[in-house]
Amino acid sequence: QDAYQVGSVILQELELNAPQDIFVKDGKLYVADTGNVRIVVYDLKTQNHYEIKNEKFKTPSGIFVNNEGTVYIADKDAATVFVVNSNGELIGEYGHPTTATFGKSAVYRPSKLVVNNSGVMYIVSDGAFDGMVQIDKNGEFLGYFGYNNSTFTLWDYIVENFFTDAMKERLSNKVPFSFKNADIDKKGLIYSVTQAAKGNALKKHDAAGINLMPTEMVDEVDFTDVCVGARNNVYAVTSTGLIFEYDMNGELLFTFGGRAISTEKYGVFTNVSAICCDEDNKLY
């Protein structure tokens, strides 16, 4: 618990409503204030803030900011990734890919995203099981990235070896878990978290989407977000506020935080949806 000390509590006066994502860049904290259908941009030094709003927004729930200050916003109910410049002006929209390889019936409900230095977006689509949706800056679908294999249990073994084909057909199809959230490091490696995937909930993907983390890790089944720290340490947080810190190879270093059971106090939480880290290794 002493790995990190509790700092301050901010943004209380803004009356956030069900915020779903945060991102810190160049001294500014960006908050996807989903319930209020806005993005809040808060200057950590001056404590001033401004809003990014647009009539096209419905449920802005994922946010990413590139080195030029361009803001990417994932909005699953609008089925769109919106792109806003540093002045808050809407400069791009990426709706359902029209590429034939994506398919008209494919699920496209962007909830989270990261963007690499080439402008390729890796989109976590709510309810999609094929991996993250890759879309380039021209809106072209490049394919799916990463994949969660279905776990093979004792029940699966029994079904496979002792059930007839007719009996198997009557069972519901088993689908892999979908990604919950993602982050990207300075080298372009993408990290993901998957809920309900015990022992394999946190992944570090290479350029081909292959997981570089150990196949069995110390983790939890309800990770909601992941972020990469300034020293290449990796943080994953559960919905109950338990924070896991790993080194770059997936070795667990610390756990801290936790749930606020009977009282509110600094350093514990009721419901966590996101985590991010600044260049000074401060966590938000």
Side-chain angles (χ1 to χ4, degrees):
Q1 187 65 37
D2 296 329
Y4 287 81
Q5 294 182 340
V6 178
S8 58
V9 176
I10 59 176
L11 305 185
Q12 288 178 307
E13 73 281 1
L14 298 184
E15 298 183 351
L16 302 176
N17 182 7
Q20 293 296 306
D21 205 8
I22 51 178
F23 196 94
V24 64
K25 186 76 173 179
D26 298 330
K28 293 181 179 179
L29 187 68
Y30 298 77
V31 182
D33 189 11
T34 308
N36 288 321
V37 198
R38 63 178 180 173
I39 304 298
V40 174
V41 185
Y42 178 82
D43 192 303
L44 293 166
K45 184 176 181 180
T46 66
Q47 299 182 3
N48 294 324
H49 76 278
Y50 63 91
E51 299 178 348
I52 299 174
K53 303 183 77 171
N54 191 284
E55 61 182 9
K56 295 183 178 181
F57 294 174
K58 292 185 179 180
T59 52
S61 59
I63 189 164
F64 184 90
V65 184
N66 70 10
N67 293 328
E68 287 72 45
T70 303
V71 182
Y72 294 77
I73 303 164
D75 191 320
K76 62 182 181 180
D77 286 343
T80 303
V81 171
F82 297 102
V83 185
V84 178
N85 65 18
S86 57
N87 296 320
E89 302 168 331
L90 184 64
I91 59 173
E93 301 177 44
Y94 296 89
H96 193 289
T98 57
T99 311
T101 53
F102 187 71
K104 293 182 179 180
S105 61
V107 175
Y108 185 71
R109 303 187 71 224
S111 60
K112 311 291 179 186
L113 81 165
V114 297
V115 185
N116 69 14
N117 291 334
S118 300
V120 176
M121 293 169 281
Y122 296 80
I123 301 167
V124 175
S125 180
D126 192 33
F129 306 103
D130 296 310
M132 300 180 208
V133 179
Q134 289 185 90
I135 297 178
D136 68 13
K137 57 186 177 181
N138 298 315
E140 291 296 318
F141 172 63
L142 302 180
Y144 289 101
F145 180 84
Y147 189 78
N148 282 318
N149 293 321
S150 300
T151 56
F152 196 78
T153 65
L154 176 60
W155 170 250
D156 296 320
Y157 177 83
I158 294 172
V159 170
E160 181 66 25
N161 289 278
F162 298 102
F163 279 39
T164 65
D165 290 340
M167 295 168 67
K168 292 177 183 178
E169 289 178 359
R170 289 197 293 268
L171 296 174
S172 59
N173 291 329
K174 188 168 185 177
V175 296
F177 299 122
S178 59
F179 291 116
K180 178 67 175 179
N181 219 322
D183 195 21
I184 188 170
D185 66 14
K186 295 178 181 178
K187 296 180 180 179
L189 294 176
I190 293 176
Y191 298 73
S192 68
V193 287
T194 304
Q195 291 188 316
K198 181 68 174 176
N200 198 27
L202 171 64
K203 295 182 177 67
K204 177 170 68 173
H205 305 270
D206 65 11
I210 304 300
N211 181 27
L212 302 177
M213 288 293 195
T215 54
E216 288 294 332
M217 296 177 60
V218 179
D219 59 16
E220 287 291 332
V221 297
D222 64 336
F223 281 157
T224 58
D225 197 10
V226 57
C227 72
V228 182
R231 303 180 183 92
N232 291 323
N233 40 350
V234 182
Y235 302 91
V237 64
T238 69
S239 61
T240 55
L242 187 61
I243 300 168
F244 286 62
E245 180 182 1
Y246 302 88
D247 68 12
M248 66 179 68
N249 298 315
E251 291 293 329
L252 182 65
L253 303 176
F254 300 107
T255 61
F256 54 101
R259 183 190 287 274
I261 301 296
S262 58
T263 182
E264 293 286 346
K265 67 177 182 178
Y266 290 178
V268 292
F269 311 91
T270 53
N271 187 18
V272 178
S273 58
I275 188 171
C276 68
C277 184
D278 66 15
E279 58 271 14
D280 296 322
N281 233 41
K282 293 180 180 177
L283 295 172
Y284 300 84

